[in-house]
Amino acid sequence: AARYPSVTTSSTGGAANAAAINAALVAANAAGGGTVAITAPGTYLLNATSNSYSSGRKYLIDIGDGASNVTLYIGPGVTLKMADGQQVDGAPVDLVVWRDVTNIRITGGGTITGNTAGQTGWTQASGENGTKYGQVTPGCILRGFSSTSAYETYESNGVTIDGISLTDHFGNAFDITGVKNFSAYNVY
């Protein structure tokens, strides 16, 4: 499989970082598969963009719609972090998304983090007497979408998460709706 060059951007370029990573994933998908590697240690801030898979949601990184044989390698010492101010009321943010994929892998020893302290725009209340959510948003760190709404329909097959740290997020770590053969190893 092709190996795409490391994504090199600054720690302050949230929109540029997300665009560079997503462009590399698009190239890997267009080539029929490959590895997108982020290897230079550091913290990469990421801005959210609208999610075409689900109305009202946003995402930071999109593995792809119909992707196959793609690896997102987040190297040791690399942190992908949601930039401040990305989460607002009514628009949950999922950090890494995919839809209807085959044989994808997220690996490498790095970290994906939600930066809840920087998400001051989520003010919605829940529970009795207007009690605030114990989380910032119902967004997920890793979220698979299915092109149908049926939970029993498995349109993704072979998703592996290995050697990744998932930290400081607000909703679920995984939502793997529609994924058959999902594996998680050494996830912290």
Side-chain angles (χ1 to χ4, degrees):
R3 185 167 176 92
Y4 294 83
S6 294
V7 177
T8 305
T9 57
S10 73
S11 62
T12 59
N17 290 344
I21 294 167
N22 286 313
L25 287 163
V26 166
N29 286 317
T35 297
V36 174
I38 307 163
T39 57
T43 298
Y44 295 77
L45 297 178
L46 303 171
N47 286 2
T49 189
S50 294
N51 186 342
S52 63
Y53 304 153
S54 180
S55 179
R57 297 188 83 87
K58 294 183 176 186
Y59 70 89
L60 303 178
I61 297 172
D62 183 3
I63 299 287
D65 186 358
S68 63
N69 303 312
V70 172
T71 296
L72 176 59
Y73 180 88
I74 305 165
V78 172
T79 298
L80 302 181
K81 180 179 179 180
M82 187 185 323
D84 289 349
Q86 300 303 298
Q87 181 61 60
V88 296
D89 284 345
V93 177
D94 300 311
L95 278 64
V96 179
V97 299
W98 63 83
R99 182 169 74 175
D100 300 348
V101 299
T102 303
N103 190 29
I104 67 164
R105 186 175 183 90
I106 303 170
T107 190
T111 298
I112 305 171
T113 185
N115 182 21
T116 57
Q119 309 310 314
T120 58
W122 180 261
T123 61
Q124 292 185 2
S126 173
E128 296 180 24
N129 304 317
T131 304
K132 301 255 308 174
Y133 277 110
Q135 61 193 43
V136 176
T137 169
C140 300
I141 295 179
L142 306 172
R143 184 179 184 105
F145 288 91
S146 176
S147 58
T148 68
S149 59
Y151 282 97
E152 297 80 20
T153 304
Y154 297 105
E155 288 156 354
S156 289
N157 187 4
V159 174
T160 301
I161 313 302
D162 185 10
I164 294 293
S165 179
L166 308 175
T167 66
D168 191 24
H169 199 52
F170 13 83
N172 298 319
F174 305 136
D175 182 342
I176 53 172
T177 301
V179 176
K180 181 169 68 173
N181 298 318
F182 175 83
S183 301
Y185 306 98
N186 305 307
V187 177
Y188 308 98

